[in-house]
Amino acid sequence: MRQELVELRHQVDEVVDGAESAEVRRPTPDLARELRTHCLSFCEALKVHHNGEDAGGFPVLAKWFPGLAPILAELTEEHKKVARLHDEIQRLVDGYTPGVSDPRELRNRLEGLATELEAHFEWEEQTVVAALNAMGPAPERR
C-alpha cells in the first residue's frame, strides 16, 4: 500500500510539473487519465485490504490474541476513517481538470490525505503486524 501511495504522489508531481512547465502550453489529459486510473486502483486495493482485515483477519486475531481485541476494534473504526480518506482522494483526483484546476491544490490536498494514511499504516504496523504475521501467509487473491 505504501508503494502504491508513493506512486500516486509521483504521478501527481508529474501532473503538477507538466502544468507548471513553460514547455507545456496545453492541458495534459493523458496524465490526468493515468492518475485517475492509478488512484482508482489504489483506492480499490486499500478497500479490499481493509475489508479483508475487518471481516477475516481481525476476528481471527481477536480469538487468538484476546488482549488485542480493543486495539482491533479501534483499527476497525480507523478503517472507516481511512475509507473516507480514500474516497476524498478519489473525488479529488476525479475532479481534477487539466488546464482548469489548480495542480498545486491537488498536490497539497493529496499530500495531507497521504500523510494521514501513512500515520494509519504506521499505527497498524506498531499494534498488530506481529500478530498478523503469526497467522501465516495471507490467502491468495483470485
Side-chain angles (χ1 to χ4, degrees):
M1 291 288 110
R2 279 194 166 116
Q3 186 56 43
E4 289 293 319
L5 196 52
V6 166
E7 182 59 29
L8 186 60
R9 286 169 154 161
H10 175 72
Q11 285 184 324
V12 168
D13 286 342
E14 286 181 17
V15 168
V16 172
D17 293 345
E20 292 177 343
S21 170
E23 299 170 2
V24 178
R25 303 233 187 275
R26 283 180 263 135
T28 53
D30 289 340
L31 275 177
R33 190 174 321 119
E34 188 177 312
L35 178 62
R36 282 185 191 95
T37 300
H38 186 87
C39 185
L40 182 62
S41 174
F42 168 75
C43 289
E44 186 58 32
L46 186 61
K47 185 187 299 183
V48 167
H49 170 78
H50 283 160
N51 287 345
E53 286 179 336
D54 294 343
F58 288 176
V60 172
L61 278 182
K63 288 180 183 175
W64 287 13
F65 304 96
L68 285 179
I71 291 171
L72 296 170
E74 283 183 57
L75 279 168
T76 298
E77 286 304 308
E78 180 78 7
H79 287 171
K80 293 174 187 173
K81 175 184 167 189
V82 169
R84 287 190 299 275
L85 289 175
H86 73 66
D87 286 348
E88 188 173 340
I89 289 171
Q90 188 68 53
R91 281 191 302 276
L92 179 64
V93 171
D94 286 346
Y96 178 76
T97 304
V100 176
S101 302
D102 181 355
R104 291 167 300 208
E105 180 184 350
L106 172 68
R107 179 167 44 197
N108 291 341
R109 289 187 59 208
L110 177 64
E111 194 58 37
L113 296 169
T115 298
E116 288 187 61
L117 281 175
E118 288 284 354
H120 167 77
F121 295 153
E122 181 81 20
W123 184 59
E124 191 170 53
E125 289 169 355
Q126 290 174 357
T127 56
V128 297
V129 77
L132 283 170
N133 288 341
M135 292 176 65
E140 290 195 28
R141 294 168 78 191
R142 295 176 201 212

